[in-house]
Amino acid sequence: MRTEDTDYDVVVAGAGPVGLMLACELALGGTRTLVVERLAEVDETIKAGSVNIPTAVALYRRGLLPALTAVQEAAMSRFREFIRNSKNNKNNQGEGGAVPPPKFAGHFAAIPLTADLLDDSDPAFADLGPAGDVGLILQASLERLLADRARELGVELRREVEVTGFDTYDDGVTVRLTPTESPTESPAGSPTESPTHEVRASWLVGCDGGRSTVRKLAGFDFPGTAPEITGYQALVTMTGAEELKVGWNTTATGTYAHGPLPGRILTVEFDGPPVDRSAPVTAEELTGSVRRVTGADVTVTEVRTATRFTDNCRQATDYRRGRVLLAGDAAHVHSPFGGQGLNLGMGDAVNLGWKLAAVVRGTAPEGLLDTYTAERHPIGAWVLEWTRAQIALMRPEPHARALREVVTGMAGTVDGTTYLVKRISGVWQHYDLPGDHPLTGRSAPDLELSDGTRLADRLLGGRGLLLDLADDDKLRARAEGYADRVDVRTVACPARPGLAALLVRPDGYVAWAADTGDGEGPADALAVWFGAPTRA
């Protein structure tokens, strides 16, 4: 085995959206990061189809909104094409009525939520800024966008290599990397040993999916519930599609969705998990599932991309073991219903990135990493319960169907739709941080400032922000010693005359806030989140 002398601050296993977002955040924090990925190219397998508001806002705060908007418009063009081709289909009104409008509303347990019943005047949707209009983003498109961004920031990305082992020490980790291509042949025709090599790093983060090698090798506890369903999602060419209803539909034998992209089909059957999740999904297998669930005489003639999924539902009890951390599906797995998986992982990456970078730089104590599990684990646990509830409502048995009728009626009201969309969209998410101000622990509002900028414009560099809205020289003096970590800006916010100051963490969450006349200072919050001040 050959050893390289290259040192990194962090090795990230996995170059999906979560691993790449984490690498971008680490790079903004000044760390030298290596991302390793077993696949040669971006995975085009059809997976997540949308981002929620916390994900869109996080990307907006890093200057990626124009790119996101372009990606969404391309997806909307395909959506409109699908609707045009379906306009003569007598069944093109799915369960729940009209085809969903461009503004994302979502579904709960395959019960569609119509946007015209959403009360968007609810305070939870206030001050989102332009990111609130972004939603329809395919996972592969997001992965390409983040890969380009990571390269711009100087992240090293090695493809066709995977983590096959590691050793941890008090001050770091040695990671063994093995190419994923077939071993070379010796002159006699027998395979030789794969050219495994080692890299040294201070930290290793597993973003390598639900079957995470890093999680298994590190020995993380991963309790949960076993799968009950077999689901398929695919982009295909098929005959007989005119008999399928557009949107989400429930039948006597399961659930299916048709659209919103041309050729997209999803089925769910409640006859147990698949025998082999890793085997290629064939046209015959998809045809059988579609016919059993829909009752339509559909034949899949070509499979462009397809995947199986289950409702296996598990979560690591802690997201850190010494020098090894987990993020994304490596830390939690669940069914895809409600569109939470990708977004949950992106939230992990944004929360962990700045904290790990601060520890690497030495500007924050290692104990700051304890707040990663403390803040993200409860949100992950909620997602697992949210998806379990949906599986329970989708079961094709009398008691579940009776309860489903009740929930469908509630979802068909303004209050019901608004409640469910607030949960699905993620606007409810917050952290339990010290302080009594209603903004503390919540995502910072995208305030319009008197100099023509918005709050998000002040977070592009991934640094902390002390926003002085009352021109308070004493407030600014309290931030002395943090100039290398926190930007201090004095500006007014006419729309919030009573708000005097905000201390915003690099992930965009409010660490401290004060209204005019409160007389409180941010010194404690600065010390907790940004470490000790630098002395002259």
Side-chain angles (χ1 to χ4, degrees), residues 1-4 161-165 175-179 193-199:
M1 183 171 62
R2 181 172 59 86
T3 301
E4 288 189 353
V161 64
E162 60 184 336
V163 173
T164 52
V175 185
R176 287 184 286 281
L177 306 176
T178 303
E193 183 181 355
S194 297
T196 298
H197 63 277
E198 292 183 346
V199 295

Side-chain angles (χ1 to χ4, degrees), residues 130-458:
D133 295 326
V134 174
L136 188 59
I137 308 291
L138 299 182
Q139 181 166 328
S141 300
L142 179 59
E143 188 174 322
R144 284 190 291 271
L145 187 157
L146 290 173
D148 290 342
R149 178 61 172 159
R151 281 189 287 267
E152 291 173 2
L153 293 171
V155 172
E156 182 179 347
L157 172 58
R158 297 188 197 177
R159 290 192 174 274
E160 296 184 280
V161 64
E162 60 184 336
V163 173
T164 52
F166 52 85
D167 298 305
T168 58
Y169 310 95
D170 290 342
D171 60 349
V173 57
T174 299
V175 185
R176 287 184 286 281
L177 306 176
T178 303
T180 54
E181 69 266 19
S182 300
T184 57
E185 295 287 330
S186 68
S190 59
T192 62
E193 183 181 355
S194 297
T196 298
H197 63 277
E198 292 183 346
V199 295
R200 294 195 304 268
S202 297
W203 300 87
L204 170 65
V205 186
C207 300
D208 50 342
R211 305 174 202 180
S212 169
T213 297
V214 172
R215 183 188 69 236
K216 294 172 182 176
L217 292 177
F220 284 86
D221 292 330
F222 202 51
T225 52
E228 299 179 358
I229 69 171
T230 293
Y232 299 93
Q233 183 174 203
L235 286 177
V236 303
T237 302
M238 54 187 164
T239 61
E242 63 276 3
E243 296 301 318
L244 302 178
K245 294 180 181 179
V246 170
W248 287 95
N249 302 273
T250 299
T251 72
T253 54
T255 297
Y256 78 92
H258 183 211
L261 300 177
R264 187 255 190 169
I265 187 73
L266 181 150
T267 63
V268 181
E269 298 180 80
F270 289 79
D271 55 354
V275 175
D276 184 0
R277 279 195 63 186
S278 61
V281 180
T282 65
E284 292 76 16
E285 187 178 0
L286 286 172
T287 295
S289 183
V290 173
R291 289 181 177 182
R292 287 190 297 272
V293 173
T294 69
D297 188 18
V298 172
T299 300
V300 175
T301 57
E302 179 188 5
V303 179
R304 285 176 278 167
T305 172
T307 185
R308 295 181 190 85
F309 63 87
T310 73
D311 59 330
N312 183 36
C313 207
R314 301 183 181 278
Q315 183 181 26
T317 54
D318 198 306
Y319 293 177
R320 178 190 172 198
R321 284 178 64 89
R323 291 275 166 166
V324 182
L325 299 111
L326 303 177
D329 289 351
H332 35 68
V333 295
H334 51 84
S335 79
F337 295 105
Q340 300 297 315
L342 167 65
N343 297 294
L344 181 59
M346 291 289 285
D348 293 345
V350 174
N351 186 285
L352 174 60
W354 70 275
K355 295 174 181 177
L356 185 53
V359 171
V360 167
R361 291 195 313 268
T363 58
E366 194 172 307
L368 180 63
L369 294 176
D370 295 337
T371 67
Y372 170 53
T373 298
E375 292 178 358
R376 294 303 301 172
H377 197 277
I379 294 178
W382 173 84
V383 168
L384 266 64
E385 292 295 89
W386 183 256
T387 58
R388 286 188 180 112
Q390 293 181 78
I391 293 297
L393 279 179
M394 293 166 64
R395 290 191 184 111
E397 55 89 15
H399 296 86
R401 290 300 166 90
L403 181 59
R404 182 182 182 84
E405 286 299 313
V406 175
V407 175
T408 299
M410 293 179 178
T413 66
V414 171
D415 287 346
T417 292
T418 302
Y419 170 79
L420 291 170
V421 171
K422 283 196 295 186
R423 307 302 281 185
I424 293 169
S425 67
V427 295
W428 65 275
Q429 294 180 11
H430 64 280
Y431 303 134
D432 186 15
L433 304 186
D436 298 328
H437 196 281
L439 290 178
T440 301
R442 298 190 175 274
S443 181
D446 192 36
L447 303 176
E448 294 186 58
L449 305 174
S450 58
D451 62 359
T453 66
R454 305 185 72 102
L455 187 142
D457 298 325
R458 303 293 187 173

Side-chain angles (χ1 to χ4, degrees), residues 78-162:
R78 295 191 293 273
F79 170 75
R80 287 188 285 266
E81 175 191 352
F82 174 73
I83 296 303
R84 283 195 300 269
N85 292 337
S86 304
K87 65 182 179 180
N88 294 323
N89 179 359
K90 63 182 179 181
N91 293 319
N92 71 353
Q93 302 295 318
E95 179 182 325
V99 174
K103 186 172 183 179
F104 178 74
H107 72 90
F108 181 76
I111 301 169
L113 305 172
T114 56
D116 56 357
L117 288 176
L118 173 63
D119 178 12
D120 54 12
S121 67
D122 189 289
F125 298 107
D127 297 319
L128 297 176
D133 295 326
V134 174
L136 188 59
I137 308 291
L138 299 182
Q139 181 166 328
S141 300
L142 179 59
E143 188 174 322
R144 284 190 291 271
L145 187 157
L146 290 173
D148 290 342
R149 178 61 172 159
R151 281 189 287 267
E152 291 173 2
L153 293 171
V155 172
E156 182 179 347
L157 172 58
R158 297 188 197 177
R159 290 192 174 274
E160 296 184 280
V161 64
E162 60 184 336

Side-chain angles (χ1 to χ4, degrees), residues 432-494:
D432 186 15
L433 304 186
D436 298 328
H437 196 281
L439 290 178
T440 301
R442 298 190 175 274
S443 181
D446 192 36
L447 303 176
E448 294 186 58
L449 305 174
S450 58
D451 62 359
T453 66
R454 305 185 72 102
L455 187 142
D457 298 325
R458 303 293 187 173
L459 297 173
L460 299 178
R463 291 162 53 88
L465 172 67
L466 179 59
L467 201 61
D468 173 18
L469 301 173
D471 196 7
D472 185 345
D473 55 354
K474 293 182 180 179
L475 173 71
R476 297 192 295 273
R478 294 188 181 102
E480 291 179 0
Y482 290 95
D484 57 333
R485 286 155 276 173
V486 179
D487 294 326
V488 180
R489 296 290 182 266
T490 300
V491 68
C493 180

